[in-house]
Amino acid sequence: MPESDRTLEVRALNAVQDAAARPPLVRVARGMSLFGEHAGGWLAIGLLGAAVDRSRRRDWLIAAAGVAAAHGASIAVKRVVRRPRPQDPSVRVLVGTPSRLSFPSAHTTSTTAAAVLYGRLLGRPLVPALVPPMALSRLVLGVHYPSDVVVGSVLGAIVALGSRRLGRRRGVSR
């Protein structure tokens, strides 16, 4: 990434942290980080849906597989792109991470996939309720650039839509 673009992203990240990195919000963001680590919370919800909604068990399992695929896709892109997490001295890193790679945000990728896929099963628009808070939390915690969360969200939506298409081809009701 050109230095001028990186500087713009650091300035945007600083602005988010200056406006929102207060102790109560940081605590919430850390909880969201833990929930979204390796898509664990979203996968647990998919398995819970499969256990509770027996008539659509297969749909829930396919949706959870879509979330897992989205997470895997984000990890694959991270390994190819190899963009380091924010390292500017002005950025406060407020949570630990399992890797030093930043692009795209796996948390935002899996959250978007879960919101699209589980929202469809629940008949609720979950994307506006779930994706912006997760994306913001990654910036508040100082572990991603704004473009990391935007691309993560787009990647999650693409994988979710692909998963839905595959599910329909295989006879899944939703």
Side-chain angles (χ1 to χ4, degrees), residues 5 12 44 49 59 64 67 74 99 102 118 161 173:
D5 290 344
D59 296 354
V67 171
S74 69
S99 85
S102 181
Y118 300 160
L161 295 174
S173 62

Side-chain angles (χ1 to χ4, degrees), residues 12-57:
L13 185 51
N14 292 151
V16 169
Q17 285 195 313
D18 289 347
R22 304 289 181 266
L25 188 55
V26 169
R27 280 192 295 276
V28 170
R30 285 181 177 151
M32 293 172 71
S33 184
L34 182 61
F35 178 86
E37 195 66 48
H38 303 295
W42 299 122
L43 294 171
I45 287 174
L47 295 176
L48 179 63
V52 172
D53 187 358
R54 291 183 178 180
S55 67
R56 296 187 301 165
R57 178 175 285 158

